[in-house]
């Protein structure tokens, strides 16, 4: 594996400690990461090398016993720190000089992978500096690529997303850009495609003639948890609707791709998202519910008079012949009774609505698949009762092999596989679908609900 430098802008933030660094240690310990590597943390705070290593050791969320002490120590030996200001050209020159120093030591032009772990408002400035300092260009013609990982939210509305994407297109080639939606990297979500396309018995049923409705749910018990200010400026629809929920819809509704190659899969996801029917103003009250849990305005960082939604439910349609007339219910909320992400596919039963087969993709927790079917209740009369076929990763003892989402994302970005990253077309289509709703958000009543409720 080619030597690689991983740069984390905003390394002192929550994401780096919670997700990125533990994922890097795991890849390193699984030998899926080059032995010659450096992780450079970039941020404003002042640390010397030792202080930085200690800070990271403390912040890094790893379970006791997850790694051998030796492994963590070796990993930390590859860490270094660059103090800098995000809007200061000299800071980027210093970073570039550090690259040269490391490459000279290794005697090779290494790969460079940049991760923007900073508030989205800083993205454009950082990207411009990476480019103007010459760091977006590989140091040699045939070796050492440069790639950039962009976190969601990708813009905070359609205009901002277009402007960010235009800038990225100007500064980088498409093969260098990895737009993260970490849901795409969840193993149980990728299993939707495997289940659909590897099991031919379901394919003939996967259409409007047999499917009555689809429910996509991303429920969370917790609140914004330390991200109050940011969350309050976004709301649930932008936070998880415009991205995670719609990507789940795309995987359920997409046509069979021509191949399992990244371009074909992304194209098919994009086609579904582009075919989402925009909700007209007069239908808004009928098709959309928004809510806020009682007590949300007392959360840290949240405005006392906040009108931000912590819950939404949308009845949506996909304008493709396969899905004509099939409602897709999209629902998400914080402060609900349980944390679970799940997709339920209800099959039609024209003679008895109460006896519908349901196929459930359980994304988390306890990822798996369940099919509800009916059997005859033993006895003299003809009655039926529901039973289920179930697959669970945990029960099948497959769960220990599941890479977590950030391991998968970093691994794939390193390998240059863009399948689990969103394309421009997908991101724009998602924004186009949610914008008309967001523009009239204020006209919808904000339904208050008790924290921990089962139903809003
Ligand atoms: C993030 C949202 O993108 O996804 C969070 O910003 C949300 O608000 C999180 O809690 C859910 O992700 P996961 O992987 O914990 O289900």
């Amino acid at each position: 594996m080619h030597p690689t430098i991983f740069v984390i802008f905003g390394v002192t933030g929550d994401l780096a400690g919670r997700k990125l660094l533990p994922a890097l240690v795991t890849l390193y310990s699984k030998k899926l990461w080059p032995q010659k590597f450096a992780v450079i943390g970039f941020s404003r705070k002042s640390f010397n090398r030792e202080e930085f290593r200690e800070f990271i050791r403390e912040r890094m969320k790893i379970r006791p016993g997850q790694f051998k002490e030796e492994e963590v120590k070796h990993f930390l030996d590859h860490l270094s720190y660059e103090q800098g200001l995000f809007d200061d050209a000299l800071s980027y020159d210093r970073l570039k000089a550090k690259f040269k120093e490391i490459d000279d030591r290794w005697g090779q032009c290494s790969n460079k992978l940049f991760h923007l772990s900073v508030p989205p408002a800083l993205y454009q400035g950082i990207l411009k500096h990476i480019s103007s300092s010459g760091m977006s260009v590989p140091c040699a013609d045939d070796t050492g690529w440069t790639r950039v990982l962009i976190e969601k939210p990708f813009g905070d509305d359609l205009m901002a997303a277009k402007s960010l994407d235009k800038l990225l297109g100007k500064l980088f080639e498409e093969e260098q850009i990895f737009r993260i939606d970490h849901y795409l990297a969840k193993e149980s979500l990728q299993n939707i495609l495997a289940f659909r396309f590897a099991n031919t018995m379901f394919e003939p049923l996967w259409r409007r003639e047999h499917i009555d409705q689809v429910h996509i749910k991303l429920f969370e018990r917790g609140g914004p948890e330390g991200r109050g200010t940011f969350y309050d400026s976004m709301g649930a629809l932008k936070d998880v609707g415009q991205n995670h929920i719609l990507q789940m819809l795309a995987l359920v509704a997409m046509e069979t791709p021509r191949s399992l190659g990244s371009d074909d899969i992304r194209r098919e996801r994009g086609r579904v998202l582009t075919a989402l029917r925009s909700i007209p103003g007069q239908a808004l009250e009928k098709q959309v519910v928004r809510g806020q849990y009682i007590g949300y305005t007392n959360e840290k960082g949240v405005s006392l008079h906040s009108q931000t939604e912590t819950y939404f439910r949308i009845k949506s349609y996909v304008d493709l012949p396969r899905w004509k007339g099939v409602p897709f219910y999209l629902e998400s909320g914080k402060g609900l009774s349980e944390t679970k992400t799940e997709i339920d596919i209800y099959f039609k039963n024209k003679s008895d609505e109460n006896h519908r087969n349901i196929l459930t993709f359980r994304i988390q927790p306890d990822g798996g698949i369940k099919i509800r079917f009916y059997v005859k209740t033993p006895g003299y009369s003809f009655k039926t009762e529901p039973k289920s076929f179930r697959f669970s990763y945990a029960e099948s003892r497959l769960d220990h092999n599941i890479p977590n989402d950030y391991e998968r994302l970093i691994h794939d970005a390193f390998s240059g596989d863009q399948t689990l990253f969103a394309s421009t077309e997908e991101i724009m289509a998602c924004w186009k679908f949610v914008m008309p709703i967001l523009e009239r958000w204020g006209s919808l009543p904000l339904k208050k609900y008790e924290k921990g409720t089962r139903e809003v």
Side-chain angles (χ1 to χ4, degrees):
M1 278 184 275
H2 196 75
T4 299
I5 302 178
F6 191 88
V7 181
I8 305 176
F9 289 102
V11 70
T12 53
D14 171 64
L15 186 68
R18 208 163 36 87
K19 299 276 193 176
L20 297 173
L21 289 156
L24 281 166
V25 191
T26 309
L27 290 172
Y28 174 67
S29 78
K30 289 186 178 167
K31 306 210 175 340
L32 292 169
W33 193 245
Q35 285 304 303
K36 264 191 192 168
F37 78 95
V39 177
I40 306 179
F42 182 107
S43 141
R44 279 167 301 196
K45 293 205 174 100
S46 139
F47 291 113
N48 63 32
R49 186 147 194 254
E50 258 329 291
E51 286 167 348
F52 177 60
R53 281 171 45 134
E54 266 322 294
F55 173 82
I56 293 297
R57 187 191 269 281
E58 271 169 29
R59 286 298 282 280
M60 213 161 43
K61 296 266 179 321
I62 48 181
R63 294 189 306 277
Q66 193 180 355
F67 302 103
K68 293 191 198 105
E69 180 53 30
E70 277 293 277
E71 267 170 351
V72 178
K73 197 180 153 306
H74 280 161
F75 176 79
L76 291 174
D77 284 344
H78 293 80
L79 241 62
S80 60
Y81 185 67
E82 185 58 49
Q83 184 188 9
L85 297 174
F86 295 120
D87 57 357
D88 166 39
L90 288 178
S91 304
Y92 293 82
D93 290 343
R94 282 202 302 277
L95 187 59
K96 195 178 173 198
K98 197 160 197 162
F99 285 176
K100 179 153 184 337
E101 196 186 298
I102 298 174
D103 284 0
D104 286 348
R105 181 155 30 95
W106 287 343
Q108 258 168 315
C109 161
S110 61
N111 299 327
K112 316 286 183 311
L113 189 50
F114 296 101
H115 184 278
L116 274 56
S117 242
V118 295
L122 300 174
Y123 288 176
Q124 300 225 11
I126 295 178
L127 292 168
K128 284 183 191 156
H129 279 297
I130 293 178
S131 168
S132 59
S133 61
M135 288 192 290
S136 55
V137 187
C139 41
D141 284 343
D142 51 345
T143 52
W145 45 249
T146 300
R147 295 178 184 149
V148 53
L149 284 156
I150 309 280
E151 277 295 334
K152 68 158 265 280
F154 195 93
D156 59 3
D157 62 16
L158 179 62
M159 280 250 294
K162 277 187 178 163
S163 139
L164 176 58
D165 208 56
K166 197 164 154 211
L167 179 73
L168 278 165
K170 215 167 90 186
L171 306 180
F172 300 91
E173 300 295 330
E174 180 59 25
E175 308 81 72
Q176 293 180 284
I177 308 167
F178 292 77
R179 303 173 191 83
I180 294 181
D181 181 322
H182 76 280
Y183 262 65
L184 282 173
K186 288 187 189 282
E187 184 77 19
S188 46
L189 213 66
Q190 291 161 50
N191 205 17
I192 297 177
L193 292 193
F195 183 84
R196 285 189 54 196
F197 301 133
N199 298 297
T200 50
M201 66 191 270
F202 294 102
E203 183 50 27
L205 305 178
W206 214 257
R207 54 191 65 253
R208 58 184 291 264
E209 287 80 2
H210 301 288
I211 291 181
D212 188 47
Q213 49 190 278
V214 177
H215 292 218
I216 303 178
K217 306 170 192 160
L218 193 167
F219 293 173
E220 293 178 290
R221 273 168 66 95
E225 282 163 8
R227 297 157 70 230
T229 312
F230 173 72
Y231 186 84
D232 203 37
S233 70
M234 300 290 286
L237 186 54
K238 286 186 187 180
D239 186 42
V240 298
Q242 181 273 342
N243 33 68
H244 308 330
I245 293 243
L246 291 180
Q247 284 293 359
M248 289 195 262
L249 179 149
L251 293 176
V252 171
M254 72 191 249
E255 296 293 318
T256 313
R258 265 199 309 205
S259 76
L260 292 179
S262 148
D263 287 351
D264 288 333
I265 292 190
R266 296 202 319 168
R267 186 174 315 114
E268 291 305 336
R269 290 200 310 249
R271 272 199 5 187
V272 171
L273 296 169
T274 310
L276 277 164
R277 189 188 305 164
S278 140
I279 300 178
Q282 66 278 15
L284 206 63
E285 282 224 31
K286 261 176 45 200
Q287 287 183 230
V288 183
V289 176
R290 68 176 195 131
Q292 186 190 77
Y293 67 80
I294 298 165
Y296 168 70
T297 52
N298 298 327
E299 300 280 4
K300 191 161 170 255
V302 171
S303 141
L304 259 186
H305 306 288
S306 173
Q307 292 293 300
T308 298
E309 84 286 359
T310 57
Y311 171 91
F312 67 84
R313 187 170 64 243
I314 300 174
K315 184 179 184 185
S316 66
Y317 291 92
V318 176
D319 279 333
L320 290 174
R322 189 190 275 265
W323 298 114
K324 192 158 181 264
V326 180
F328 285 76
Y329 292 92
L330 317 174
E331 186 178 15
S332 181
K334 292 203 188 272
L336 298 180
S337 63
E338 58 180 329
T339 295
K340 72 166 181 191
T341 305
E342 186 169 280
I343 302 172
D344 296 317
I345 321 264
Y346 289 78
F347 288 87
K348 287 187 173 161
N349 182 347
K350 293 200 181 80
S351 55
D352 186 352
E353 276 249 318
N354 296 321
H355 277 71
R356 286 183 298 192
N357 294 114
I358 306 172
L359 167 62
T360 300
F361 292 103
R362 172 58 89 108
I363 310 303
Q364 61 188 28
D366 311 327
I369 296 174
K370 191 166 92 187
I371 299 176
R372 183 164 85 176
F373 65 103
Y374 293 86
V375 297
K376 182 178 169 308
T377 308
Y380 296 103
S381 61
F382 196 87
K383 280 198 194 130
T384 58
E385 60 186 56
K387 292 278 173 254
S388 46
F389 288 127
R390 248 184 80 179
F391 156 71
S392 131
Y393 285 97
E395 283 169 16
S396 312
R397 296 177 189 273
L398 291 173
D399 50 341
H400 63 281
N401 258 343
I402 300 181
N404 92 3
D405 31 31
Y406 271 83
E407 276 161 51
R408 185 65 203 253
L409 289 170
I410 296 173
H411 171 270
D412 285 9
F414 173 75
S415 316
D417 183 348
Q418 292 179 312
T419 315
L420 304 181
F421 295 86
S423 66
T424 297
E425 185 191 8
E426 292 171 81
I427 291 195
M428 297 312 153
C430 290
W431 275 120
K432 279 188 189 143
F433 173 68
V434 298
M435 281 316 290
I437 307 175
L438 289 169
E439 275 156 11
R440 291 186 299 256
W441 239 176
S443 69
L444 273 185
L446 187 64
K447 216 170 149 182
K448 296 282 183 171
Y449 60 95
E450 293 288 341
K451 205 168 177 192
T453 188
R454 288 200 156 272
E455 214 168 296
V456 179

